[in-house]
Amino acid sequence: MTYRLAIYDMDRTVTFSGTYTGFLIHVAAHMAPWRLVFLPLIPFVMLAYVVKLISRQTLKETNQWLMIGGRADRTKLMPHIESYADKVMAKNVRAGALEQIARDRAAGYRLVLATASYRLYVEAIARRLGFDVVIATDHVGQDLPYVRAKISGENCYDTGKLRMIKAWMAAEAIDRSQAHIRAYSDHVSDAPMLEFADEAFASNPHPPLAKLAAERGWTRVDWN
């Protein structure tokens, strides 16, 4: 038996722009507008990450703490998660990505969305896009009635994303030798995932990935 998997990155691959900051602002504006006073601090947190004072994981946790809080009521969050997913679908999805997703589905591929963004809101977007599986960054305590500004396990990024893909395949009893994998990403941080695939697609690649794709013979697609 051959398993057909089509694995997509989300931000700037399926979407035009990143979704995480937009999600934080959307929720803050609807749940606690006073938290928008912290918005000017986000570039400084990003700068701390760029100069390697904090990790990428700490960057995400800190921004969430600023804009949503250390503990956010999950029930109160859900309507804003759904409205944000609608907003992403209306204004931030590449038509070319939708067409490729439809082609992969018609060809019998199992559609997997693998992203560093939080499962908390990614699942609502993935459901609208028609994905079968979400592999994403999780919060501590997925079963809790509140959402903590704390990542559980790994940030689904770079080699961590590939480890999470492999862990999901193992849990599904999908042997790599029995799988045909297509992978799509815009960013060089997904090189491990692209190398793991049988067919690698540099989708709307930024310059470092475009250069690597040319060197490795990966297919370039532009969905602008």
Side-chain angles (χ1 to χ4, degrees), residues 2 23 28 30 38 60 62 70-71 80 82 94 98 109 128 172 176 178 187 194-195 198 214-216 219 221 224:
T2 299
F23 168 70
H30 288 82
F38 295 131
K60 294 172 74 170
T62 302
R71 292 189 179 191
H80 306 302
E82 294 297 329
R94 299 176 186 270
L98 292 176
Y109 282 82
R128 287 160 171 79
E172 293 289 307
R176 180 64 186 90
Q178 296 179 317
H187 199 272
L194 294 170
E195 289 175 342
D198 298 288
E215 293 171 355
R216 301 289 174 85
T219 301
V221 293
N224 297 322

Side-chain angles (χ1 to χ4, degrees), residues 118-130:
Y118 282 118
R119 180 182 304 276
L120 177 67
Y121 71 89
V122 169
E123 286 186 335
I125 297 170
R127 187 169 64 250
R128 287 160 171 79
L129 291 169

